[in-house]
Amino acid sequence: MNNTFSIQRFGLLLKRQWLEFGKIYLITLAVALGVIITFYSFATWNTIFEQRLFSERLLNFREPLFLIFGFLFITVIASSYFAHLGQKSKAIIDLMIPASTFEKFLTGVLFTAVLSTVSFLVIFYLTDLAFVSKLRSIFHNVDTATSFRDSYGKVVETRDNLAFFFTRNYPKEFTSVFLLTPVFVTSIFLLGSIYFNKFHYIKTAISVMIFSGIWTYIIVKTGQTMFDNKIPINTGNGENISKGLIELGMFSLLLLLTAIFWVITYVRLKEKQV
Amino acid sequence: MIKINNLNFGYRKNQLLFKNMSMQLSTGHIYGLLGKNGAGKSTLLKNIAGLVYADSGSMDVMGYDPSKRQPALLAEICFIPEEFYLPSVKIDAFVKANAGFYPNFDHPYFTALLAEFDIPVAQKLIDMSYGQKKKVIIAFGLATQAKLVIMDEPTNGLDIPSKAQFRKIMASALTDDRCIIISTHQVRDLDNLIDTVIMLDENKVALKASVEEITNKLCFKRVKEIDDKVIYAEPSLAGYNAVLQNFHDEDSKLDLELLFNAVLAEKNKLKPIFN
C-alpha cells in the first residue's frame, strides 16, 4: 500500500470531505449568490422595472463588489476548511481516517484554492451576464460615446452598444499575477484555519495585518537606509525594465509565498495533536 | 502487536504524565485500562493511535510508528473516542463515505450490529441520542474488521440493556488476530469481559496482569475481621470485602473495583506479589 498518495484513497477522501464540508460550502455559496443578486437588483431595479434613463454609472459597483466580496468569499471558505481540527470531537475522527496527511492536505487545497475561486467566478459571471443582458435588451438603442485624446493628440471618439460592460477592466497586463492572487490569499487563510484553534478568520486577518505592517516597515526602513542621500542615475522611471520582467518577478514572489504557506500548512497538519 | 518502550509524555514540558513507561500488548486479548481521573488512560490510548506524540521513547504498533499516521496502520485501527462528532447524514451516507477506506469492511456484520443495537437506520445521525450515536460508531468500528480496537469509555451514555449487549458483542468480536483495549472508570461494565487488567497510577503502569494471574495470586472474599493477612479491605454489610494473598489456591471471582482501590491504596504490598 502506498502510504503517501493513492488516487483511489484521494477520490474517497474528496467524497468524504464533500459530505462534511459540502453543506457549509453550498450554504456559503448560496449566501454569496444572494448578496450578488441583491446588489445588482438594488442598482438596476429602477432602470429595468421603471424604465428610468440609462446611466453609464449604473453598474459602477461591479468591480468593488467582485474584489471585496470575492475576497471575503474565498477567505471565509479557506478559513473554515481545517477549523474543525480545533475541536477534539471532530479532530479525532478526521485524523483517524485512513488517508495520508498529503492526501488530506491536497483535498484542502483543491476545495479552497480551486473550487471556491472557480465557483465564485461562475456565480458572479452568470449573475452579471443575466443583468447586463437584460439591460442590453431594454436599451438596445442606447449608444455609449467615449471620446479621448490619443498619444498623437488626436481626438478619438468611440461608440458602442453597451458593449463596454463586457470588455472593460479585463486585465491585459499582469494576468498571471491576477490569476495567482486568489490561490495566494486562500493559502494564507487555509494556514490560519489549522494554525488557530478558535476565531480562525479574525485571528488570521489580524496576523496578516501585523505581518504586512512589519514587512512594510522593514522595506521602507531598508530603502531609506540604502538610498538616503543618494542620487538616482537612471531617470527613465523604470521604463527600461520590461513589464514582462516585473510580472515574472511578482508572479514568482506570490508563487514562492503560496508554496511557503502550503508547506507550513502541511507540516501543521502532520503535527496536529488532539 | 503493541510495544511501548520507555515512553515519556506530558502535555507540559515539566509535568510528565508517563515516565519511562514500557509495556507490550498482544493479539487475542481484551485489555481493560483503568486508572483515576487524570491518570492518563485516554492519553495512553491517543499515544497508541498516534493522536499525540511522545516526548521520548518508542512506540511500535503492528510494525508501524503511529505518529506517522500512515494509512496502512490507520486502516487497521478502530478508535472509539469518548467525545465524537457525527455529520448530519443518514447511516447509509455515512457508511458510503467512510467504509471505502477500510478494505475489509463487513457490511452484513454492520447491518447485524445495528439491528442488535436497535438503531433507527432511517434517522439522521445528528438527530440520534448520544447513546445511539455511540452504538453506531461502535458498530461501524467493529465492522471495519480493524485488528486493533481502542475504546475510550465506550459504555458512557449506554443504557443498562445496551451495556449488556455491548459486553456480548465485544466478547464475540475478539479473534486471535485482534487486540481490544477498553478504557473505563466504570469497572463494573467490564466485568466478565476483559482478560487482562492494566492500571495506571503515578506516571506508570501500576499493574498489568491477566485475570487468571490476579485470581491465582490474590483472593477476593468477605471476611469478618481484618488481620495481617488482609492486603486491603472495605467495610460491607456483613464484615469486610477483602483482598488477600492467595496462599491456598482458593477460587475467587475478581472484584475489579476492590482491586482498583487496593492497587491505589496498597501499591507497596501488591508490587512484590506481581513482580
Side-chain angles (χ1 to χ4, degrees):
Chain A
M1 184 188 275
N2 187 333
N3 278 310
T4 309
F5 188 79
S6 140
I7 195 75
Q8 186 243 349
R9 254 188 346 245
F10 184 59
L12 283 169
L13 196 60
L14 283 177
K15 211 165 83 177
R16 183 185 181 274
Q17 290 309 93
W18 179 252
L19 191 78
E20 297 271 327
F21 188 67
K23 195 171 270 180
I24 303 169
Y25 172 76
L26 286 177
I27 291 169
T28 318
L29 197 66
V31 170
L33 181 65
V35 171
I36 297 168
I37 291 174
T38 308
F39 262 92
Y40 273 83
S41 302
F42 269 118
T44 59
W45 187 270
N46 289 340
T47 313
I48 291 176
F49 294 102
E50 294 172 17
Q51 305 291 309
R52 296 266 175 88
L53 282 177
F54 176 77
S55 160
E56 282 179 31
R57 288 178 296 176
L58 190 67
L59 296 178
N60 272 0
F61 67 91
R62 291 197 306 173
E63 292 82 3
L65 178 70
F66 177 77
L67 293 173
I68 297 168
F69 198 62
F71 175 85
L72 280 174
F73 179 78
I74 60 172
T75 53
V76 164
I77 293 281
S79 85
S80 65
Y81 188 79
F82 284 127
H84 62 283
L85 294 180
Q87 295 170 46
K88 198 169 122 187
S89 56
K90 292 182 179 177
I92 291 178
I93 301 279
D94 228 50
L95 293 177
M96 292 306 293
I97 279 292
S100 69
T101 308
F102 180 67
E103 287 157 354
K104 288 172 185 171
F105 162 75
L106 207 60
T107 315
V109 169
L110 205 69
F111 269 100
T112 55
V114 182
L115 189 67
S116 70
T117 310
V118 169
S119 54
F120 182 79
L121 283 174
V122 168
I123 61 164
F124 193 91
Y125 177 77
L126 290 178
T127 314
D128 189 74
L129 183 70
F131 278 90
V132 171
S133 300
K134 181 69 185 168
L135 285 172
R136 294 183 83 190
S137 70
I138 296 170
F139 299 102
H140 49 84
N141 290 328
V142 176
D143 283 350
T144 307
T146 315
S147 66
F148 62 93
R149 201 175 287 274
D150 69 10
S151 52
Y152 302 104
K154 191 182 163 190
V155 175
V156 178
E157 191 167 277
T158 61
R159 303 186 78 80
D160 63 37
N161 183 359
L162 301 185
F164 76 101
F165 279 138
F166 287 108
T167 54
R168 71 185 211 175
N169 284 346
Y170 181 77
K172 292 182 182 65
E173 289 163 350
F174 298 100
T175 316
S176 61
V177 177
F178 279 109
L179 289 174
L180 191 61
T181 301
V183 179
F184 168 67
V185 168
T186 50
S187 73
I188 298 172
F189 280 81
L190 186 65
L191 172 61
S193 78
I194 195 160
Y195 198 88
F196 302 110
N197 284 333
K198 282 178 185 173
F199 309 113
H200 310 84
Y201 194 91
I202 194 76
K203 282 182 180 172
T204 311
I206 290 169
S207 306
V208 168
M209 279 193 286
I210 292 170
F211 276 107
S212 308
I214 294 170
W215 179 265
T216 311
Y217 180 81
I218 292 169
I219 295 287
V220 169
K221 282 290 166 194
T222 312
Q224 277 177 355
T225 314
M226 286 171 69
F227 302 117
D228 240 13
N229 300 319
K230 306 262 188 333
I231 299 163
I233 53 167
N234 184 350
T235 53
N237 293 327
E239 280 169 8
N240 54 343
I241 303 170
S242 77
K243 281 180 179 167
L245 208 62
I246 298 171
E247 184 177 342
L248 182 68
M250 286 173 72
F251 182 81
S252 306
L253 180 68
L254 275 190
L255 196 65
L256 178 71
L257 289 173
T258 306
I260 290 170
F261 290 131
W262 276 347
V263 168
I264 301 172
T265 306
Y266 174 75
V267 172
R268 291 290 299 186
L269 185 61
K270 205 174 166 61
E271 291 179 347
K272 188 79 188 171
Q273 297 187 65
V274 185
Chain B
M1 176 174 253
I2 300 170
K3 289 176 196 155
I4 303 169
N5 199 18
N6 289 320
L7 178 78
N8 286 293
F9 177 86
Y11 287 107
R12 287 181 198 136
K13 274 192 175 177
N14 300 326
Q15 213 176 326
L16 282 180
L17 196 56
F18 306 134
K19 263 186 209 163
N20 297 320
M21 180 187 279
S22 297
M23 183 166 44
Q24 288 201 15
L25 307 179
S26 35
T27 53
H29 291 282
I30 302 182
Y31 293 93
L33 184 60
L34 311 175
K36 287 190 290 189
N37 289 336
K41 300 185 294 291
S42 302
T43 308
L44 180 62
L45 298 183
K46 284 181 194 169
N47 266 284
I48 294 170
L51 288 166
V52 289
Y53 302 148
D55 296 338
S56 64
S58 68
M59 176 84 73
D60 181 303
V61 180
M62 289 180 258
Y64 294 94
D65 175 358
S67 66
K68 288 184 179 165
R69 292 183 191 147
Q70 289 163 300
L73 175 63
L74 293 175
E76 291 299 344
I77 299 181
C78 149
F79 189 95
I80 311 290
E82 188 182 3
E83 295 168 41
F84 55 88
Y85 164 84
L86 293 176
S88 173
V89 292
K90 288 185 179 171
I91 292 174
D92 279 355
F94 179 77
V95 171
K96 263 185 200 166
N98 291 284
F101 290 102
Y102 302 91
N104 303 320
F105 192 86
D106 189 340
H107 288 272
Y109 181 48
F110 179 63
T111 312
L113 287 177
L114 289 183
E116 191 156 352
F117 274 136
D118 199 19
I119 299 295
V121 284
Q123 210 173 325
K124 276 189 173 180
L125 289 168
I126 205 134
D127 298 328
M128 290 182 184
S129 70
Y130 175 73
Q132 285 174 321
K133 282 187 210 169
K134 194 134 205 175
K135 286 189 256 184
V136 171
I137 202 170
I138 289 171
F140 183 86
L142 292 177
T144 61
Q145 303 292 338
K147 288 197 174 75
L148 175 60
V149 179
I150 301 172
M151 296 179 155
D152 192 5
E153 307 287 357
T155 52
N156 267 7
L158 298 189
D159 53 24
I160 295 165
S162 301
K163 282 181 182 180
Q165 280 171 331
F166 168 77
R167 279 195 293 268
K168 188 180 137 204
I169 287 167
M170 290 315 297
S172 64
L174 182 68
T175 53
D176 286 344
D177 61 348
R178 217 174 204 183
C179 172
I180 300 173
I181 311 169
I182 303 172
S183 141
T184 188
H185 57 264
Q186 297 176 25
V187 288
R188 299 252 180 248
D189 293 343
L190 299 185
D191 264 356
N192 302 322
L193 178 63
I194 58 169
D195 59 42
T196 307
V197 178
I198 303 168
M199 281 190 197
L200 300 181
D201 189 38
E202 292 178 349
N203 318 112
K204 54 181 185 267
V205 180
L207 174 76
K208 179 177 175 278
S210 67
V211 172
E212 195 186 354
E213 187 188 352
I214 294 168
T215 48
N216 280 342
K217 291 180 173 174
L218 298 176
C219 182
F220 299 84
K221 64 180 180 184
R222 192 166 289 170
V223 292
K224 288 194 173 165
E225 285 176 359
I226 300 175
D227 56 26
D228 55 354
K229 288 175 193 163
V230 172
I231 297 169
Y232 176 80
E234 285 176 359
S236 70
L237 283 175
Y240 296 91
N241 289 328
V243 181
L244 301 91
Q245 201 161 351
N246 194 358
F247 290 115
H248 308 294
D249 287 336
E250 286 180 67
D251 284 334
S252 66
K253 190 178 176 295
L254 170 65
D255 183 335
L256 267 177
E257 202 169 298
L258 197 62
L259 176 72
F260 179 74
N261 291 333
V263 170
L264 296 184
E266 301 291 350
K267 53 177 81 72
N268 292 333
K269 286 185 187 172
L270 284 167
K271 208 173 176 182
I273 299 173
F274 286 95
N275 276 342

